[in-house]
Amino acid sequence: MTKPRNAFYAQSGGVTAVINATAAGVIETARKHKRHIGKLYAGRDGIVGALTEDLIDTSAESPATIRALRHTPAGAFGSARFKLKGLEQNRAEYERLIEVFKAHDIGYFFYNGGNDSMDTALKVSQIGTALGYPITCVGVPKTVDNDLPLTDCCPGFGSVAKYIAVSTREAAMDVASMARTSTKVFVLEVMGRHAGWIAAAGGLAGTRAGEAPHIILFPEIAFDEAAFLARVKQSVDTQGYCVIVVSEGVKYPDGRFLAEAGSRDAFGHAQLGGVGPVIAALVKDKLGYKYHWAVADYLQRAARHIASKTDVNQAYAVGKAAVEYAVKGMNAVMPAIIRKSSQPYRWVIEPVRLADVANVEKKVPRNFITAEGFGITPACRRYLSPLIAGEDYPPYVDGLPDYVRIKGKSVKRKLKTPFRI
Amino acid sequence: MTKPRNAFYAQSGGVTAVINATAAGVIETARKHKRHIGKLYAGRDGIVGALTEDLIDTSAESPATIRALRHTPAGAFGSARFKLKGLEQNRAEYERLIEVFKAHDIGYFFYNGGNDSMDTALKVSQIGTALGYPITCVGVPKTVDNDLPLTDCCPGFGSVAKYIAVSTREAAMDVASMARTSTKVFVLEVMGRHAGWIAAAGGLAGTRAGEAPHIILFPEIAFDEAAFLARVKQSVDTQGYCVIVVSEGVKYPDGRFLAEAGSRDAFGHAQLGGVGPVIAALVKDKLGYKYHWAVADYLQRAARHIASKTDVNQAYAVGKAAVEYAVKGMNAVMPAIIRKSSQPYRWVIEPVRLADVANVEKKVPRNFITAEGFGITPACRRYLSPLIAGEDYPPYVDGLPDYVRIKGKSVKRKLKTPFRI
């Protein structure tokens, strides 16, 4: 029998409503595999916690706390926007990781993130081998952008999709109620800098012809101002109002982001973000309609209160599978969600190779977008609809969701060498 | 026994997540008083429907539809931003109303709105008497701004308050997770042009010292840039991040809205709305922190999916009481919510005179705002907390709330004279 080794888990990149459900899946499953896994450490603030030897001892957290992570949004252990460079550019960072892992007898590395993180997990597995410190690396998918290949969807996306679909439906009803004497055009800006999956989810809000949203602007489709304005006018003429869902990543034909071309602040500086107000101002300027705009920003990816039950279940399942793969000795893999059928939605978790996932970006395919470029097709609806199915409400106290906070007990440092990030 | 007379109900001004619950209260209660009330007509698009004789016959709607209004946001019958002018300035409008009411034997007028609407209901009652067509006018309170006097709160507010408190808590957790390497300052812009009640509700998100929101900017407190920036810096220094809830109505000491002083679009036009980005840009410019901002706009007042159960109950109760008052012959009154105790929250509905309500604006009192002007006091929390209590989830189909649409059957016109609004 092999001696159990410790494990390291880190959250990476933009957090989601369900990344902690994945953490719960990892931790609860690791606790069931004491023959293989000793302590499970988490990086405080993600990979930064590993580099700086700032580790959290998850064994200090009660079973109730870990269970509550399932309904708690954001990154309970802290996440980081910190991309390790290539092995050639910054080998020192990878060597430092291995140094910390060695000091704490870490034999398993679970990295919970998107494209960049899958690439990092792969590289750590390679450098471990090269440095004579083999480590089992499993990438655990997470990204609201839904842009990882080989998996049906990415945990985190289903809940944002549900939030945007619900919010679009609700706001559209508001606008429709008052369009005769008030706002005629409503613009909702959503996340998705390169892939329009979240914008596409807005399309689920309406189910019949003429229902909102009347226009979706995808980053996959170059912005055609004339066609856009014609459609806004047509929608107002026929429906009395127009609801637009716009991805933050929409670009002009020359590749510039609309958001960049956008507004300037009182000091004349270019405002970052804000394609929503740019689109609204364009409509006002060219067509004269009264408008409103909303930018959901972090609200959309933190909205655990309206999480998709499917998404929560999948987020937990990939965490659980990651540990099961690791204790079987499967290295450089990622648990992927494989769709078996759409109606009813059936899925299983299967391993895919990190090498096949890293640095591949899955955009919204052209056949998911209507011919004129402003809506979603029935095929897209069939794909998206199961991902927002089911509600999974958190408990409430005094009218507010009762989210948990971890104790976050620090693991005693073993290295003398500091590391500056 | 008096012959039953018909009734007219109209939704007015900005719609809410629960104004249709009030409509359900009015309609279901009217159906129980057939001795007094014949048909209940609703104005299509609010008072505009009365002026243009565009009436909806609510008796054509099934009991199931009316019941479903209780969980359906926005204005099912249509609402209007249309303020009747004073009697002196535009007597013709009031005379037209009476003409339509007379044509359809309308003896009861239920006007569901905010300050302006209470004033209109009062004037209609006065002009009716003056023109020899007595009509029983009952104002029914509704406004997310929560600025009506004499009532503990205004239906519609509790649900926005819950949405903003929940969203602030969720987004703050997101920011806290990633502040070490990413966004340090998050700004959430909320509604409330004159009164800071919605901004105050953001304060419910945190319950312990140091928790978000770290700063609330109220329209009641002149913006002090130096004090604000010092507090942002202090929050980032001590907590690692800073969450700001800002009311759209925040003003400089000279009375200008910050939003007006704000950004310009690509064409150099002043952008309407958007104090959120103005505040964020200020922080970036003076302190250099990475920021994000969100503008919830209509999402906040349409968010029936996270409505306050207390608010839904109160919205229904004022609709029910309005009809009960009317059939008792009480004229020019409004059902008000009277708080009997805060813990537990107990309330009753009692009539107040429209004359005492109309054109009085209830702002956030100074003792509800902390001394330095950036937070809420325990007294404010005691006031607000019961208003967001309880969840009242709508039914879902395919992952989306199953909101109802009325048939909206038109009442046959009786007048030959058109009326242009």
Side-chain angles (χ1 to χ4, degrees), chain A residues 1-229:
Chain A
M1 186 178 134
T2 48
K3 187 172 158 288
R5 297 186 66 197
N6 297 324
F8 176 76
Y9 166 78
Q11 302 182 319
S12 178
V15 293
T16 79
V18 303
I19 186 172
N20 290 331
T22 297
V26 168
I27 296 168
E28 291 183 347
T29 311
R31 287 180 178 186
K32 288 179 185 154
H33 287 89
K34 293 196 189 298
R35 273 203 319 142
H36 294 89
I37 298 178
K39 294 267 193 175
L40 173 63
Y41 300 136
R44 196 183 304 280
D45 302 315
I47 201 72
V48 169
L51 291 168
T52 58
E53 205 195 351
D54 192 355
L55 308 179
I56 294 169
D57 184 355
T58 70
S59 71
E61 309 295 337
S62 72
T65 295
I66 303 304
R67 229 177 2 255
L69 286 179
R70 193 178 169 116
H71 66 245
T72 296
F77 303 93
S79 186
R81 283 216 182 280
F82 185 85
K83 182 167 159 52
L84 275 79
K85 296 185 192 72
L87 278 174
E88 296 70 31
Q89 296 120 285
N90 200 343
R91 196 176 173 91
E93 279 177 356
Y94 291 91
E95 290 176 347
R96 170 66 178 186
L97 274 185
I98 298 298
E99 183 188 13
V100 172
F101 289 167
K102 202 184 257 180
H104 293 275
D105 191 28
I106 287 166
Y108 305 95
F109 173 37
F110 301 105
Y111 205 25
N112 199 179
N115 292 83
D116 288 348
S117 307
M118 297 306 112
D119 182 56
T120 300
L122 177 61
K123 291 212 176 77
V124 169
S125 124
Q126 292 163 344
I127 192 103
T129 305
L131 293 174
Y133 186 81
I135 179 161
T136 303
C137 296
V138 180
V140 198
K142 170 249 46 164
T143 168
V144 296
D145 291 333
N146 200 40
D147 59 354
L148 288 172
L150 302 182
T151 183
D152 186 51
C153 58
C154 301
F157 170 68
S159 294
V160 177
K162 189 181 186 86
Y163 174 93
I164 293 299
V166 170
S167 298
T168 300
R169 176 172 286 189
E170 290 178 334
M173 292 175 71
D174 185 310
V175 177
S177 310
M178 303 189 60
R180 185 156 167 192
T181 55
S182 185
T183 300
K184 298 248 187 305
V185 175
F186 176 71
V187 182
L188 174 60
E189 174 183 325
V190 305
M191 288 181 160
R193 189 153 285 266
H194 303 293
W197 291 109
I198 299 176
L204 294 173
T207 51
R208 284 175 296 189
E211 286 186 350
H214 307 99
I215 299 175
I216 301 173
L217 297 175
F218 299 89
E220 286 86 355
I221 305 286
F223 182 64
D224 178 340
E225 184 178 306
F228 165 74
L229 289 169

Side-chain angles (χ1 to χ4, degrees), chain B residues 109-282:
Chain B
F109 174 37
F110 301 105
Y111 205 26
N112 199 179
N115 291 85
D116 287 349
S117 307
M118 297 305 113
D119 182 55
T120 300
L122 176 61
K123 290 213 177 76
V124 169
S125 127
Q126 291 164 344
I127 193 101
T129 306
L131 293 174
Y133 185 82
I135 180 161
T136 302
C137 296
V138 179
V140 198
K142 172 251 42 168
T143 168
V144 297
D145 291 334
N146 199 40
D147 59 354
L148 288 171
L150 302 182
T151 183
D152 185 51
C153 58
C154 302
F157 170 67
S159 295
V160 177
K162 188 180 186 87
Y163 174 94
I164 293 299
V166 170
S167 298
T168 300
R169 175 172 286 187
E170 290 178 335
M173 291 175 72
D174 185 309
V175 178
S177 312
M178 303 190 61
R180 187 157 167 193
T181 54
S182 185
T183 300
K184 298 247 185 311
V185 175
F186 176 71
V187 182
L188 173 60
E189 175 182 326
V190 304
M191 287 180 159
R193 190 154 285 265
H194 303 293
W197 290 110
I198 298 176
L204 294 173
T207 51
R208 286 174 295 190
E211 286 187 350
H214 307 98
I215 299 175
I216 302 172
L217 297 176
F218 298 89
E220 286 86 354
I221 304 286
F223 182 64
D224 178 340
E225 184 178 305
F228 165 74
L229 289 169
R231 203 167 175 91
V232 173
K233 184 169 185 315
Q234 183 201 32
S235 178
V236 173
D237 286 348
T238 57
Q239 308 298 328
Y241 69 110
C242 181
V243 171
I244 301 159
V245 176
V246 56
S247 166
E248 61 179 338
V250 170
K251 297 188 206 68
Y252 288 109
D254 66 8
R256 277 178 309 137
F257 285 113
L258 265 70
E260 281 173 11
S263 51
R264 295 186 171 270
D265 63 24
F267 317 100
H269 304 138
Q271 284 275 90
L272 302 177
V275 66
V278 170
I279 287 290
L282 177 68

Side-chain angles (χ1 to χ4, degrees), chain B residues 60-85:
Chain B
E61 309 295 338
S62 71
T65 295
I66 303 304
R67 229 176 4 254
L69 286 179
R70 194 179 168 117
H71 67 245
T72 296
F77 303 94
S79 185
R81 284 218 182 279
F82 185 85
K83 183 169 160 50
L84 274 80
K85 297 185 191 72

Side-chain angles (χ1 to χ4, degrees), chain A residues 174-349:
Chain A
D174 185 310
V175 177
S177 310
M178 303 189 60
R180 185 156 167 192
T181 55
S182 185
T183 300
K184 298 248 187 305
V185 175
F186 176 71
V187 182
L188 174 60
E189 174 183 325
V190 305
M191 288 181 160
R193 189 153 285 266
H194 303 293
W197 291 109
I198 299 176
L204 294 173
T207 51
R208 284 175 296 189
E211 286 186 350
H214 307 99
I215 299 175
I216 301 173
L217 297 175
F218 299 89
E220 286 86 355
I221 305 286
F223 182 64
D224 178 340
E225 184 178 306
F228 165 74
L229 289 169
R231 202 168 176 89
V232 173
K233 184 169 185 312
Q234 182 201 31
S235 178
V236 173
D237 286 348
T238 57
Q239 308 298 328
Y241 68 110
C242 182
V243 171
I244 301 158
V245 176
V246 55
S247 166
E248 61 178 339
V250 171
K251 298 188 207 68
Y252 288 110
D254 66 6
R256 279 177 310 136
F257 286 112
L258 265 70
E260 280 173 11
S263 50
R264 297 190 168 267
D265 63 24
F267 317 99
H269 304 138
Q271 284 275 87
L272 302 177
V275 66
V278 169
I279 287 291
L282 176 69
V283 167
K284 173 76 181 167
D285 192 56
K286 302 288 183 174
L287 300 171
Y289 296 131
K290 187 175 177 201
Y291 66 84
H292 262 242
W293 52 266
V295 178
D297 196 62
Y298 289 159
L299 271 52
Q300 68 199 285
R301 72 179 196 195
R304 182 60 183 82
H305 74 271
I306 188 67
S308 151
K309 185 166 198 159
T310 303
D311 191 31
V312 175
N313 288 341
Q314 291 180 334
Y316 188 91
V318 295
K320 177 170 178 280
V323 174
E324 289 166 351
Y325 294 166
V327 298
K328 282 183 196 157
M330 294 164 72
N331 189 17
V333 294
M334 178 190 94
I337 298 156
I338 309 298
R339 181 181 299 222
K340 293 296 184 179
S341 82
S342 285
Q343 281 188 311
Y345 184 45
R346 284 197 316 245
W347 51 276
V348 294
I349 304 289

